[in-house]
Amino acid sequence: MIAVLSGGVGAARFLQGLLAIVPPASVTAIANVGDDTVLHGLHISPDLDTVTYTLAGAIDPHQGWGLAGETWHAMEALERYGGTTWFRLGDRDLATHLYRTQRLRDRVPLSAVTAEITAAWGLDLTLLPVTDDPLHTRIVVPDEGEIEFQEYFVHRRHDVRVSAVRFAGAVACRPAPGVLRALGDADVLVIAPSNPIVSIAPVLSVPGVDDAVRRRRDRCVAVSPIVGGAALKGPADRLLRDLGHEVSVVGVARIYRDQAAVLVIDEVDAALAPAVEAEGMRCVVGPTVMHGPAEAAALARLVVEAIG
Amino acid sequence: MIAVLSGGVGAARFLQGLLAIVPPASVTAIANVGDDTVLHGLHISPDLDTVTYTLAGAIDPHQGWGLAGETWHAMEALERYGGTTWFRLGDRDLATHLYRTQRLRDRVPLSAVTAEITAAWGLDLTLLPVTDDPLHTRIVVPDEGEIEFQEYFVHRRHDVRVSAVRFAGAVACRPAPGVLRALGDADVLVIAPSNPIVSIAPVLSVPGVDDAVRRRRDRCVAVSPIVGGAALKGPADRLLRDLGHEVSVVGVARIYRDQAAVLVIDEVDAALAPAVEAEGMRCVVGPTVMHGPAEAAALARLVVEAIG
């Protein structure tokens, strides 16, 4: 059994590689929902959908989000009204949000709706939102205050300085059914190459989850999302810098050393392996950049073999 | 100034004819919202949209609802999940519901949102929901109890016997801003050729509206939606029969005689004019079937000329 703490794009690609080398039914992905938002009254779970669409082979490979071959008639029509169109929802993608929203209104928990959605796409892994309760990542911007995550991430294209990140509601969240069991039962725990600040931290913010991971530290491998001192995608590097972290695999080691025994870093950072080990993590060096499914599978193999 | 009590398709066509013969800014349509429903978390106002799309020249002319040239990608994708697809929402039409829902969540009243939507379509008439408050038409089916209007109308294609119709919430509804003034100020009031039971009755069920119409009875013209003993479209004839009304222009006269001084009936029913007058309404006979804009304009002229 393998449990993977997961954000969006990076985790989805890693999971795709993982499912190529182990039985899908042995994998549980525990995904961030701090990015979830309600737009037009629809409940949108970007990370759950990115993982689902990627594993179903349906993701738009150029964007890394949304569905391949998508049409945008609803968004184009929404422009007539001056509606909110900076968060692009494709016509087919809308169906996922329509379905999820209706089911949540029917009082079905998000984890159960997610199981219905992944089953509809024919996926055999278990994909769990870390919690069924409301969890909202808020970004604190100097001289402005808190803004919503998607306002920061999509609307402003994460092009603002950040002074703090907060996970609103976390204190009242319970782990979704199956989360703590998956963490307790896993032979291997993986912290996917996702953003430590806004993808993995909200997962760990749900009471009980961080403790459950720490208890399994000796079976836990983190994959650095920082390669050569930069993020491959997204604002992880700027966020780390803004929040006072070192933007390097050493900085990542300092963030994850209490949760994971091993840090997998890219070959370009090989020279930093001793510094990582000096932070108390075993360091595994290999190719971590997932150009495609083959590289993703190779990375997954490296990660799984790093434990036992 | 002309005020028109309005349902969906029949009223929309009549209004199209009316706007061809009078200045659009002189027309206020007061529309039924008892059909409104929430599906997938989206607030759907079928009658408001049918009127808007028709007057904008954007309606699907074959269906009489929805947008011409529509695509159905969201609905097709929703089938994967087994979601609710019997209420067909086209991709571009969805934009209207997305926008309306977001604005209502922003605490903008439905009447103000409707004004935004009609303005976006370049319409110059005033289209008012009869109320900004929740009003729900419920259909009572023998041996089953109450069902929602769209469950009756769309899902079951109005192919069930009906023992009663109820307007849930009506007692607590207030007329939307402008409704009572439009009824009081109008030189001509029109009860459009809409379903008396499930389109016009819910409009009149909002406290104050029926009284306001009755006070203007001498300026009020109703157009019979029953032609030759049948409804041109929809279940008006069966509903009238199920609820104990005579399915004829005479039956319609008995329903509207307290609200309107004049009933316009079709030429095929000319022989019933004396019976209509015996019910206490002046009867105007003319072509009422709106095959296209020319016939709709002729009917509108007949209606306006019936007063004054």
Side-chain angles (χ1 to χ4, degrees), chain B residues 6-271:
Chain B
S6 162
V9 178
R13 289 183 182 165
F14 175 80
L15 285 163
Q16 191 173 33
L18 185 62
L19 296 195
I21 66 160
V22 303
S26 70
V27 176
T28 298
I30 299 168
N32 174 36
V33 290
D35 301 12
D36 285 22
T37 190
V38 175
L39 266 178
H40 325 292
L42 300 178
H43 184 107
I44 298 166
S45 296
D47 285 351
L48 292 173
D49 290 347
T50 293
V51 169
T52 299
Y53 295 167
T54 298
L55 298 182
I59 199 88
D60 182 316
H62 305 295
Q63 296 183 134
W65 55 268
L67 290 163
E70 187 58 284
T71 54
W72 304 91
H73 299 154
M75 284 297 110
E76 285 157 16
L78 191 54
E79 284 168 11
R80 172 190 295 277
Y81 301 127
T84 302
T85 56
W86 53 261
F87 197 99
R88 306 293 288 170
L89 298 170
D91 298 326
R92 293 173 184 84
D93 181 40
L94 268 169
T96 306
H97 315 310
L98 296 175
Y99 181 74
R100 179 186 293 117
T101 302
Q102 182 62 56
R103 295 296 281 159
L104 292 173
R105 288 176 63 93
D106 294 342
R107 302 186 178 280
V108 179
L110 181 61
S111 53
V113 182
T114 302
E116 293 172 351
I117 290 172
T118 54
W121 285 98
L123 302 184
D124 289 325
L125 93 163
T126 301
L127 174 60
L128 296 175
V130 63
T131 181
D132 285 330
D133 301 316
L135 176 65
H136 299 290
T137 299
R138 309 264 195 233
I139 306 294
V140 183
V141 177
D143 304 329
E144 186 173 359
E146 271 186 21
I147 61 176
E148 290 206 34
F149 180 79
Q150 297 300 347
E151 169 67 21
Y152 157 76
F153 192 73
V154 177
H155 200 188
R156 307 201 191 179
R157 299 172 187 186
H158 42 74
D159 189 20
V160 320
R161 205 162 73 76
V162 172
S163 59
V165 173
R166 189 170 78 84
F167 307 116
V171 69
C173 285
R174 294 152 299 174
V179 165
L180 295 184
R181 195 181 58 227
L183 293 172
D185 289 353
D187 305 299
V188 180
L189 285 71
V190 183
I191 299 177
S194 295
N195 189 314
I197 307 294
V198 294
S199 294
I200 301 301
V203 171
L204 296 173
S205 78
V206 172
V209 174
D210 189 39
D211 286 346
V213 175
R214 286 170 186 242
R215 272 196 294 274
R216 307 300 312 286
R217 181 182 185 277
D218 61 322
R219 308 298 295 176
C220 184
V221 186
V223 181
S224 174
I226 297 294
V227 173
L232 290 175
K233 191 172 193 301
D237 44 8
R238 274 166 295 137
L239 274 173
L240 287 168
R241 185 177 305 115
D242 286 358
L243 298 176
H245 298 278
E246 183 177 314
V247 186
S248 74
V249 294
V250 180
V252 173
R254 287 181 192 135
I255 290 172
Y256 288 143
R257 62 186 164 192
D258 292 333
Q259 284 80 20
V262 182
L263 184 66
V264 175
I265 69 171
D266 194 74
E267 291 163 329
V268 303
D269 293 312

Side-chain angles (χ1 to χ4, degrees), chain A residues 170-242:
Chain A
V171 69
C173 286
R174 295 151 299 173
V179 165
L180 295 183
R181 196 181 58 229
L183 294 172
D185 290 354
D187 305 299
V188 180
L189 285 72
V190 182
I191 299 177
S194 296
N195 189 314
I197 308 294
V198 294
S199 294
I200 300 301
V203 171
L204 295 173
S205 78
V206 173
V209 173
D210 189 40
D211 286 347
V213 175
R214 286 169 185 244
R215 273 197 293 274
R216 307 299 313 287
R217 180 181 185 280
D218 61 321
R219 309 299 295 177
C220 184
V221 186
V223 181
S224 174
I226 297 295
V227 173
L232 289 175
K233 191 172 192 305
D237 43 9
R238 274 167 295 139
L239 274 174
L240 287 169
R241 185 177 306 115
D242 285 357

